[in-house]
DNA sequence: GTCTATAAAAAGATAGAC
DNA sequence: GTCTATCTTTTTATAGAC
């Protein structure tokens, strides 16, 4: 089965080059401002050639997302292998650190959640959905494990933790701090890791166990049920 | 000076209607996907008429940002007046709560940080810059006060706290949770307030005061200088 | 599959009558 | 100032030769 492998390999390399360019441009300008002309200019091919590989601009973005999701899955596997006995919370922090490093390196594609045509294309993209679910599942295991170990707030639904991790992977605060130029990349990462996992507020001195007093500043809240709404 | 006031008032009302539409559309679709045609269709005027009031699409976005910034400044004044003796941390949480409510109401305009033409227009917009600096200054007072009171993490530079508050005002996690439909608006707000100020990690039991042990999971970090880089 | 050339459509902005 | 009609540019996508 390695007969036409040379040609196919060349084609595969070309596609990789396209997706790498798309990934970089998505990180730099976002989906709406990235144009197909820029992509083909960056890769050095004709536009019609690109459309032989990908059917639409949305497909390009999906391919870039699949690429970064698979990089993330590989990183998760690496973390698991490197220290199989590590606490789940440590692993989650390591993942957050990795996503921030990717973003600081200008390699984190950012897709606007509002674009409906893009959203529809992603929801119809089997491979993208599969990788996204795989990543969510694997992170979910660590999240529930960390909660069971008492290392993550039990009041936070696991999905909130998951969404927060995804959101921090493209947090604009990172870009603002980098643009400020006052901190090194590693300093930025540690600061944001602290604010994400430790919170903005100072650690409470653990007084006479008044649970969430700091969260009800002015008015009394209704005694409605809080926390999880579904099992 | 109230001679032509009727005509002028009518004009002002028309401009207000335009900016309100722009505000809503910016919250719904973002700057890049919002079209001027949509705006004029929503307001019910001709495109050329709109361009008599605003010179460009970027000017429209700037006007919407001025509007929301002034709403925020008014909310700050209200909070100060309502309880002048309230701790700064409570005030900051109240502000965060207000921004989340605005976002849940679909009234928080979101501008992409990547669009350079928009960025240039905003940096040249005097009123916008003035309001943005006013808001930053007023929040900065509360932030430093809360840190002095020991209620905010002293390791976090004040600008990081400020940027984080701004970022949480348009956090995509809010939209994801609302789309999930499992939680009420107020539940979402309390959950995100907890994760923002309290962090994802569970409160540390305050062991033998090992400062940031949880932040160094796998590898030892370089002993480089951390924390603030400038006074 | 790759190229040049060209649709086809969208969107920001303006001309000119009233 | 407001309107209709139009211009201009940008951008996605495709024909058709090789």
């Amino acid at each position: 089965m390695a007969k036409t492998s040379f040609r196919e390999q060349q084609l595969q390399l070309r596609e990789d080059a396209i997706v790498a360019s798309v990934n970089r441009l998505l990180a730099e300008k976002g989906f709406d401002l990235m144009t197909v002309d820029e992509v083909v200019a960056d890769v050095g091919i004709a536009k019609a050639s690109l459309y032989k590989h990908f059917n639409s601009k949305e497909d390009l973005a999906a391919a870039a997302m699949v690429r970064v999701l698979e990089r993330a899955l590989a990183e998760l596997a690496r973390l698991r292998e490197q220290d199989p006995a590590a606490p789940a919370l440590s692993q989650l922090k390591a993942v957050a650190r990795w996503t921030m490093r990717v973003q600081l390196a200008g390699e984190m594609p950012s897709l606007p959640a509002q674009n409906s045509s893009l959203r529809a294309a992603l929801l119809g993209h089997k491979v993208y959905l599969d990788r996204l679910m795989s990543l969510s599942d694997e992170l979910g295991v660590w999240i529930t494990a960390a909660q069971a170990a008492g290392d993550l707030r039990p009041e936070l639904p696991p999905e909130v933790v998951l969404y927060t991790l995804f959101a921090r992977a493209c947090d604009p605060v990172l870009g603002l701090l980098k643009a400020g130029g006052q901190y090194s990349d590693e300093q930025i990462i540690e600061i944001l890791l602290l604010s994400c996992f430790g919170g903005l507020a100072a650690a409470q001195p653990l007084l006479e166990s008044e649970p969430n007093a700091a969260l009800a500043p002015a008015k009394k809240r209704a005694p409605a049920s809080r926390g999880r709404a579904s099992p």
Side-chain angles (χ1 to χ4, degrees), chain A:
Chain A
M1 68 166 68
K3 201 60 179 298
T4 57
S5 119
F6 183 70
R7 269 277 156 81
E8 283 180 7
Q9 201 167 342
Q10 208 167 358
L11 264 288
Q12 185 60 43
L13 284 180
R14 170 97 65 161
E15 281 202 3
D16 288 348
I18 294 174
V19 179
S21 273
V22 170
N23 186 86
R24 199 177 50 76
L25 288 170
L26 281 181
E28 184 183 324
K29 327 185 61 172
F31 179 79
D32 295 322
L33 267 60
M34 178 190 80
T35 70
V36 179
D37 289 274
E38 284 173 325
V39 176
V40 298
D42 195 56
V43 181
I45 59 175
K47 189 151 52 170
S49 303
L50 185 145
Y51 274 98
K52 297 284 184 182
H53 292 272
F54 300 93
N55 291 319
S56 67
K57 185 186 174 186
E58 285 77 14
D59 266 12
L60 282 176
M65 288 307 296
V66 167
R67 183 175 182 267
V68 73
L69 287 174
E70 290 183 342
R71 281 182 66 190
L73 286 167
E75 173 68 10
L76 261 67
R78 195 188 68 78
L79 287 171
R80 239 191 318 268
E81 181 187 13
Q82 175 183 287
D83 187 358
L89 178 63
S90 298
Q91 303 286 43
L92 290 174
K93 285 182 180 173
V95 173
R97 212 179 259 115
W98 177 82
T99 62
M100 293 188 201
R101 259 193 270 269
V102 172
Q103 197 189 350
L104 283 170
E107 296 172 351
M108 184 64 78
S110 74
L111 305 185
Q114 299 131 339
N115 192 322
S116 56
S117 78
L118 175 60
R119 196 177 155 71
L122 289 178
L123 288 178
H125 197 288
K126 299 283 172 53
V127 182
Y128 165 78
L129 288 181
D130 174 77
R131 300 300 185 275
L132 181 61
M133 282 192 292
S134 295
L135 185 59
S136 299
D137 286 346
E138 296 191 17
L139 288 175
V141 170
W142 277 344
I143 290 171
T144 52
Q147 281 189 327
D151 292 335
L152 274 188
R153 289 192 179 276
E155 313 98 300
L156 293 178
E159 37 168 349
V160 172
V161 180
L162 180 67
Y163 294 165
T164 300
L165 289 177
F166 279 134
R168 289 311 152 268
C170 48
D171 197 334
V173 175
L174 236 166
L176 290 174
L177 288 181
K178 190 172 177 67
Q182 290 196 340
Y183 308 100
S184 72
D185 284 6
E186 287 301 309
Q187 280 177 331
I188 292 176
I189 290 174
E190 294 309 314
I191 288 174
L192 292 190
L193 217 57
L194 178 61
S195 91
C196 177
F197 284 90
L200 298 179
Q204 298 295 338
L206 284 194
L207 291 179
E208 320 89 62
S209 69
E210 194 181 3
N212 273 336
L215 285 180
K219 312 173 71 171
K220 284 191 168 58
R221 280 200 322 279
S225 66
R226 295 188 61 254
R228 304 296 306 277
S230 97

